[in-house]
Amino acid sequence: MAEIERPLPRFPEPDTQAFWEATKGHTLRYQVCNQCGGLVFFPRRHCTHCTSVDLRWESSKGEGTLYTYTIIRQNGHPYFRAKLPYVIAYVDLDEGFRMMTELVGIDDLSQLDCGKRVHLDWEEHEEVNLPVFRLAE
Ligand SMILES: [Zn+2]
């Protein structure tokens, strides 16, 4: 029986293509509005603060703080069911944007606490890499 694969983005994906391209080189990109200076994440065609389409790409250093998390203990999808339990989190990146991600490498779920420092890591795939986070030492 074939191994069940993780669902991944399908391309072409006009609004997020540049984001996913950058993941191949382990770069986490976000957008900054050239009109109002607002940070935009996840990637979009327009600024979520002022609706301008004049956005530029910046690269995150991948350091941040755990804003909140949840421990997933049930999932109907076979790929995710095999990972149970796993941790989905909101991370506040030091550059000022917040992203939903997976926290990996958690040996003891009682280690988790809001406010802890986390850093970027990558889950490797053939066409894209997925940004995940680990607790900082
Ligand atoms: Zn703006």
Side-chain angles (χ1 to χ4, degrees):
M1 193 167 123
E3 187 176 335
I4 296 163
E5 294 181 12
R6 181 177 192 129
L8 291 169
R10 294 184 192 153
F11 300 101
E13 174 42 67
D15 293 345
T16 62
Q17 187 97 31
F19 172 85
W20 291 114
E21 285 291 326
T23 68
K24 294 177 185 175
H26 291 183
T27 300
L28 177 63
R29 298 182 91 189
Y30 62 100
Q31 294 166 300
V32 178
C33 178
N34 289 323
Q35 294 303 309
C36 75
L39 273 57
V40 178
F41 193 90
F42 54 90
R44 279 169 253 220
R45 191 169 306 212
H46 67 279
C47 174
T48 51
H49 307 278
C50 74
T51 71
S52 169
V53 294
D54 185 13
L55 301 173
R56 70 176 185 271
W57 290 99
E58 297 285 344
S59 298
S60 170
K61 291 189 170 107
E63 304 291 329
T65 303
L66 181 56
Y67 174 72
T68 193
Y69 65 92
T70 187
I71 300 166
I72 307 295
R73 298 184 188 278
Q74 294 184 30
N75 194 314
H77 188 283
Y79 175 84
F80 294 104
R81 191 181 310 133
K83 291 176 64 107
L84 296 172
Y86 60 94
V87 180
I88 297 299
Y90 272 116
V91 167
D92 285 339
L93 278 298
D94 290 351
E95 290 84 2
F97 67 96
R98 178 174 290 162
M99 70 179 284
M100 183 180 282
T101 185
E102 183 177 352
L103 272 190
V104 298
I106 311 294
D107 297 329
D108 175 4
L109 293 171
S110 70
Q111 295 177 300
L112 292 169
D113 202 5
C114 298
K116 283 202 165 182
R117 294 292 292 170
V118 294
H119 64 84
L120 177 64
D121 199 357
W122 294 94
E123 184 182 300
E124 307 269 342
H125 293 275
E126 198 166 304
E127 288 191 37
V128 297
N129 295 315
L130 300 182
V132 296
F133 281 77
R134 292 181 183 276
L135 290 175
E137 298 302 320

